[in-house]
Amino acid sequence: MTTLFISDLHLCSDRPEINRSFFGFLEHEAKSARALYILGDLFEYWAGDDDLPDPFNASVTGALARLAASGVPVFLMHGNRDFVIGDAFAHASGVTLLPDPALLDLYGTPTLLMHGDTLCTLDRDYQAFRREARSEVWIRAMLARPLSERRAAIEALRRQSEQEKRSKSEAIMDVDPSEAEAALRRHGYPRLIHGHTHRPAFHRHSVDGHVCERWVLADWYQRGSYLACDESGCRAVQLSP
Ligand code: MN
């Protein structure tokens, strides 16, 4: 049995092909997994758990809940798009929320799970925004606003960030390798699995004489994909479109 990892699905109601892929993945590949880990940005954005009744959101939580009820543990880490997902979402979908980072014993190999945005330290503007937006005060103030207002504010933020991305260099938006190595050192030289950069890859880092694997998960913009790990290691798998 394998343990599956996905991230950066960016689910939203206006991308029906990817949504079909995701529901199919939950009903087939994930059904026979030992566990499923979703490492952030499951949604294009999440405005708050009071948006659970929205029909599309309800279809996602329902599908996750069916998988969890069938006996496959599902774990969810926040991404930068859906970091206000809370306990009501976790309850409705049967998932267990994971802190970022989370260290896991994966078939005997210590494995560090992260969304990945904290590793992109060359992007100082983003890191400054992240520090502010992840504070309890900021989140509480945001969730106190009416849902419609929150949705509009997030749309505006997304447009702004799309524009900023165009003027930022590719290097600035990628993982700073020295930051990845610092995280590996801090956690005792584990294997690292993360998403966020949308640059699927397998890296090897030599840290203080330890060789550490770093797997970067693919996004689901064009097609779905996942990382499957077992006793013999990990492999990236693409879903048929
Ligand atoms: Mn992300």
Side-chain angles (χ1 to χ4, degrees):
M1 268 170 101
T2 57
T3 299
L4 307 186
F5 299 85
I6 57 176
S7 73
D8 304 283
L9 293 90
H10 293 265
L11 299 180
C12 60
S13 56
D14 52 17
R15 290 171 58 234
E17 312 81 47
I18 279 306
N19 298 333
R20 266 195 299 279
S21 282
F22 176 63
F23 294 128
F25 167 77
L26 293 185
E27 277 168 28
H28 299 104
E29 289 84 354
K31 214 46 177 259
S32 54
R34 177 185 278 194
L36 171 64
Y37 287 82
I38 306 169
L39 301 186
D41 290 353
L42 171 64
F43 291 100
E44 178 67 8
Y45 68 86
W46 188 255
D49 286 3
D50 51 345
D51 209 6
L52 280 167
D54 167 83
F56 175 68
N57 293 340
S59 69
V60 174
T61 52
L64 288 169
R66 278 193 295 283
L67 178 65
S70 77
V72 180
V74 184
F75 298 91
L76 176 70
M77 184 177 278
H78 290 136
N80 52 302
R81 304 296 196 104
D82 49 17
F83 63 91
V84 298
I85 282 179
D87 293 337
F89 178 94
H91 183 76
S93 55
V95 308
T96 303
L97 294 177
L98 278 182
D100 179 1
L103 189 61
L104 172 76
D105 178 345
L106 193 58
Y107 307 93
T109 301
T111 301
L112 187 65
L113 309 177
M114 304 176 94
H115 176 55
D117 55 332
T118 54
L119 300 173
C120 300
T121 44
L122 298 175
D123 191 347
R124 292 178 182 280
D125 294 344
Y126 170 72
Q127 295 299 334
F129 167 76
R130 188 185 192 280
R131 273 192 295 279
E132 188 192 345
R134 294 300 185 93
S135 72
E136 246 180 74
V137 176
W138 194 95
I139 292 175
R140 208 176 314 122
M142 182 205 168
L143 292 178
R145 296 162 72 183
L147 180 58
S148 57
E149 209 180 295
R150 264 178 274 149
R151 284 206 189 111
I154 293 169
E155 287 292 344
L157 256 180
R158 282 173 56 209
R159 275 194 300 274
Q160 189 194 331
S161 120
E162 283 308 314
Q163 235 152 34
E164 282 170 6
K165 264 193 222 159
R166 263 177 244 136
S167 63
K168 279 181 193 172
S169 79
E170 291 284 298
I172 278 179
M173 290 186 295
D174 203 356
V175 164
D176 176 357
S178 68
E179 195 60 33
E181 284 157 21
L184 292 165
R185 185 174 293 120
R186 215 159 36 236
H187 294 275
Y189 314 103
R191 170 203 278 143
L192 173 57
I193 301 174
H194 71 83
H196 179 67
T197 60
H198 301 195
R199 295 174 208 202
F202 170 63
H203 303 273
R204 272 200 188 91
H205 293 268
S206 180
V207 193
D208 308 334
H210 301 262
V211 177
C212 303
E213 296 183 357
R214 176 165 67 95
W215 293 87
V216 187
L217 303 174
D219 65 72
W220 283 49
Y221 279 134
Q222 301 303 326
R223 61 196 286 190
S225 66
Y226 59 93
L227 190 72
C229 300
D230 61 18
E231 293 85 351
S232 60
C234 299
R235 68 199 161 89
V237 182
Q238 280 206 320
L239 295 166
S240 36

